[in-house]
Amino acid sequence: MSEGQVTNPRPRDDVAFEDVTDSSFVYEFGGPIGAAAMMLGFPLLMAYQFLCVYDNGGHFLLPDSFSDIAAWAGRMGQRYWEIAAPSWTGARIYLGFTFFMVGLAFVCPGPVMYGYKLPSLGGQRLAYKCNALWSWWVAVITALALHFTGLFRLTQIIDNLGPIMSVAMLWSFFLAGAVYAVTVARNAKHRASGNVIYDYCMGVCLNPRIGTLDMKLFTELRVPWPMLFFISLSCAFKQYEELGHVAPELVFMVLAHWLYANACNKGEECVITSWDIFYELESWYLLFWNLAGVPFSYCYTSIYVLKNGPMGFSVLWNILCFTLLIVGYFFWDTGNSQRNRFRMYWNNTLIKRNAFPQLPMSFIDDAKYLQTQHGNKMLIDGWYAYVRKPHYTADLVMSLSWGLIAGFGSFFPYFYLTFFLIVLVHRVGRDDARCARKYGSDWDLYMATVPWKFIPYVY
């Protein structure tokens, strides 16, 4: 948790404007119809999967026949309301945690970092107080203290998971509406389509802030991944209460989600120059997935192994899963560090932090790169000498391990892998098209220099 020797470096002034695609607009996800379908479909999908995993042992819930579909939908809705309707307990847990993290964002120490120049602000840079690491550890220590003193048993999370999830979904809709309304009232819309449904879904606000708190950075890091970790930790404590021990598969999931949450928060300063923060608009799409989708859709393995475990797999199988997790994590952490610290080095915002764990090969001295006419530099060293998206490959390996630890008795532990693969393929295609427009012939040279996307000589 130590910050080491850190400073608050000012960025250099000669870093190229990221303005080529900032003002462009194209419909994504099928335009207004696709946006409406997502806003209806994602909550229904989450509710359905929750019933399958939490209430039906990880098995699909299907109508008996075609003529039974309407009655089946009614039964599903009734059962969801019985076990997952929003409740005051769910609201206290979810919103209590959220506002606790907001408070920590204002009071915890951390270095002040600066993002890219923003064309929408006339080339100004926004300052970010990067104290997510301290907030994360304070939250973990506080949660453990509350649990072991009996003031708030963490098992209440899994016991009330349905109501908590429902509150999270409603909160994301409300927050997206508030951001949209304030942005419209201030006449500060950015890349708006003019279609209310689409703009609400995909966003019109680039940098929403509450004082010094950047909402996009906060909602991307400080709620979803810590909440996911606490759900898995809650499952482990629940299993201990029921069995007197924690099975290897739940130990695995607690470790997996701790590694991910810890990495996201210890590397917060690396995120501020990412595409998500620089370019993406704060929207229902981002808010729903960060505040509800991530914690309550990526936890299916933990719920499944709690409801169906102990799984009783062999020591060899468990070693295989743990090995995949650790190897995947190493390449994911170092891959993200290599590309982000390369950017930070040339942006003159690189700082040294001693956040645990610091892995070898996280920074490349004298890294090789391609200089573009646009002014940016493309990294072609480290893992990025072999493939263009090594961090995505490693992320997929980790997500595969999250499924394998549960075996093959259910699809739902593999939902994260399936969904993530679809998202990454879409994102890579979108990134390639954007970079081709932005860099022109330089992008062709980069593609020739590093021709593989995910796996060398394969794809």
Side-chain angles (χ1 to χ4, degrees):
M1 191 165 59
S2 170
E3 296 290 344
Q5 298 297 316
V6 301
T7 59
N8 299 333
R10 296 292 304 191
R12 17 186 321 150
D13 291 328
D14 59 344
V15 176
F17 253 66
E18 293 284 336
D19 60 351
V20 171
T21 58
D22 181 69
S23 60
S24 61
F25 171 80
V26 292
Y27 273 131
E28 295 187 85
F29 301 109
I33 295 176
M38 286 196 298
M39 290 190 287
L40 176 64
F42 277 146
L44 291 177
L45 177 63
M46 288 179 61
Y48 172 77
Q49 293 189 126
F50 172 79
L51 289 176
C52 292
V53 178
Y54 194 87
D55 199 45
N56 198 47
H59 303 295
F60 286 105
L61 288 161
L62 301 172
D64 296 330
S65 63
F66 183 80
S67 61
D68 184 50
I69 291 177
W72 167 83
R75 295 193 300 270
M76 295 286 285
Q78 180 180 2
R79 183 55 179 162
Y80 184 84
W81 188 256
E82 290 172 355
I83 66 174
S87 68
W88 288 114
T89 298
R92 285 195 298 270
I93 293 173
Y94 184 82
L95 296 179
F97 172 75
T98 298
F99 286 111
F100 179 66
M101 296 302 285
V102 169
L104 292 178
F106 282 105
V107 301
C108 285
V112 175
M113 304 296 293
Y114 295 86
Y116 280 141
K117 292 179 179 179
L118 295 174
S120 58
L121 296 179
Q124 295 181 30
R125 302 175 189 265
L126 293 175
Y128 299 84
K129 187 177 182 181
C130 294
N131 58 6
L133 179 66
W134 277 93
S135 298
W136 156 243
W137 278 105
V138 170
V140 170
I141 293 169
T142 301
L144 291 175
L146 291 172
H147 177 81
F148 287 112
T149 59
L151 294 174
F152 176 79
R153 301 288 291 178
L154 290 178
T155 50
Q156 291 187 57
I157 297 174
I158 188 62
D159 290 341
N160 294 278
L161 192 65
I164 298 170
M165 181 181 75
S166 296
V167 169
M169 290 194 286
L170 291 173
W171 176 247
S172 65
F173 272 90
F174 167 78
L175 203 58
V179 171
Y180 178 81
V182 170
T183 305
V184 171
R186 295 177 57 194
N187 195 29
K189 292 190 293 184
H190 197 78
R191 294 200 308 272
S193 71
N195 182 282
V196 175
I197 293 175
Y198 184 85
D199 288 345
Y200 170 80
C201 179
M202 300 306 295
V204 293
C205 184
L206 185 59
N207 302 111
R209 292 197 156 205
I210 303 172
T212 59
L213 178 67
D214 186 88
M215 284 185 60
K216 272 199 302 186
L217 189 61
F218 176 87
T219 56
E220 182 164 326
L221 299 180
R222 304 194 192 204
V223 174
W225 302 107
M227 178 66 74
L228 178 63
F229 166 74
F230 286 124
I231 291 172
S232 289
L233 186 62
S234 176
C235 291
F237 280 132
K238 186 70 175 181
Q239 187 174 72
Y240 184 82
E241 286 186 357
E242 294 175 347
L243 303 179
H245 69 277
V246 181
E249 53 269 13
L250 264 177
V251 173
F252 175 96
M253 291 312 302
V254 171
L255 173 62
H257 291 162
W258 179 84
L259 284 171
Y260 214 108
N262 185 72
C264 288
N265 286 283
K266 80 182 176 76
E268 180 186 26
E269 73 279 3
C270 297
V271 179
I272 62 176
T273 56
S274 68
W275 178 256
D276 288 355
I277 301 303
F278 166 76
Y279 181 82
E280 296 283 14
L281 299 167
E282 188 70 299
S283 59
W284 175 88
Y285 172 69
L286 285 184
L287 286 168
F288 182 87
W289 203 248
N290 283 328
L291 300 181
V294 168
F296 299 102
S297 293
Y298 296 175
C299 65
Y300 293 145
T301 300
S302 298
I303 301 171
Y304 177 78
V305 297
L306 171 65
K307 297 288 185 179
N308 296 276
M311 307 306 291
F313 296 131
S314 68
V315 173
L316 184 61
W317 182 259
N318 288 330
I319 290 175
L320 170 65
C321 292
F322 274 90
T323 300
L324 279 176
L325 173 66
I326 298 303
V327 171
Y329 175 79
F330 174 81
F331 284 99
W332 175 72
D333 190 312
T334 55
N336 278 302
S337 294
Q338 285 178 5
R339 70 187 181 101
N340 286 310
R341 290 177 177 174
F342 173 78
R343 291 175 185 162
M344 294 170 70
Y345 174 81
W346 287 104
N347 203 35
N348 198 33
T349 56
L350 181 65
I351 63 174
K352 179 177 175 57
R353 304 184 77 180
N354 295 324
F356 177 81
Q358 289 297 311
L359 301 177
M361 305 182 71
S362 293
F363 178 72
I364 308 169
D365 291 314
D366 299 320
K368 299 175 184 177
Y369 60 86
L370 291 178
Q371 179 66 56
T372 69
Q373 298 177 33
H374 179 272
N376 289 350
K377 297 173 174 59
M378 296 180 181
L379 178 64
I380 53 170
D381 209 339
W383 310 137
Y384 294 85
Y386 303 100
V387 291
R388 301 197 297 274
K389 304 292 184 182
H391 52 301
Y392 286 173
T393 305
D395 220 340
L396 288 169
V397 170
M398 286 195 294
S399 65
L400 173 62
S401 74
W402 294 12
L404 292 175
I405 196 65
F408 302 99
S410 172
F411 159 76
F412 295 101
Y414 295 90
F415 169 78
Y416 173 47
L417 171 65
T418 305
F419 179 79
F420 195 43
L421 181 60
I422 294 171
V423 169
L424 289 188
V425 170
H426 170 266
R427 178 174 289 187
V428 169
R430 185 181 66 168
D431 289 350
D432 284 351
R434 175 183 64 88
C435 289
R437 293 194 306 268
K438 180 176 179 179
Y439 296 115
S441 60
D442 289 328
W443 183 249
D444 295 333
L445 176 59
Y446 175 67
M447 296 271 283
T449 305
V450 188
W452 308 105
K453 292 181 180 179
F454 295 138
I455 304 173
Y457 305 105
V458 177
Y459 179 72

